[in-house]
Amino acid sequence: QVQLVESGGGLVQAGGSLRLSCTASGGTSGLYTMGWFRQAPGKEREFLCCITWNGHVTQADFVKGRFTISRENAKNTAYLQMNSLKPDDTAVYYCALDRSVGASDSSSNAYDFWGQGTQVTVSS
């Protein structure tokens, strides 16, 4: 069973930056897609971005220019670099893994495994 270990959330002032990490272990072939989602209080979970095993990136329009997804396959780790953070970015951030090779799905239902979530709070 694949497990995802997620870290990097915290409290940051508006305009600041955070880097989230997510490491996959426990049976993955390595040819998976990694995605990032977030869920703010009272709102639905929303797709941020994803990256395939060979580096193809899909992003929601509203994160372009501020958030960057990357991965290091040798470490089975995906990252989300978040810059110019705003109070509206406050949410629980989740990483997720899709076992379908080459998938770039923005729907949460497509993902097979999820991290525990990490709280990101942006103060004004």
Side-chain angles (χ1 to χ4, degrees):
Q1 186 81 4
V2 173
Q3 296 179 349
L4 303 178
V5 179
E6 187 176 33
S7 63
L11 176 64
V12 64
Q13 293 183 347
S17 299
L18 286 173
R19 189 192 193 206
L20 308 183
S21 300
C22 181
T23 299
S25 63
T28 178
S29 68
L31 302 180
Y32 50 81
T33 292
M34 298 290 295
W36 289 96
F37 294 76
R38 71 183 184 187
Q39 188 165 21
K43 299 177 67 176
E44 297 180 353
R45 186 169 298 185
E46 63 181 347
F47 170 78
L48 300 175
C49 51
C50 66
I51 184 168
T52 67
W53 69 274
N54 59 344
H56 181 264
V57 173
T58 301
Q59 297 174 291
D61 287 340
F62 69 88
V63 308
K64 293 179 179 177
R66 295 197 301 127
F67 294 2
T68 303
I69 188 171
S70 61
R71 68 189 295 165
E72 296 184 49
N73 288 340
K75 299 169 63 175
N76 290 323
T77 299
Y79 305 95
L80 182 65
Q81 178 67 46
M82 304 187 293
N83 300 323
S84 301
L85 285 163
K86 308 172 183 178
D88 286 347
D89 294 320
T90 296
V92 177
Y93 284 69
Y94 298 91
C95 66
L97 184 150
D98 185 349
R99 293 175 296 178
S100 299
V101 177
S104 297
D105 208 313
S106 62
S107 298
S108 61
N109 288 342
Y111 290 81
D112 302 293
F113 303 98
W114 293 82
Q116 77 280 9
T118 184
Q119 177 70 46
V120 172
T121 301
V122 184
S123 64
S124 60

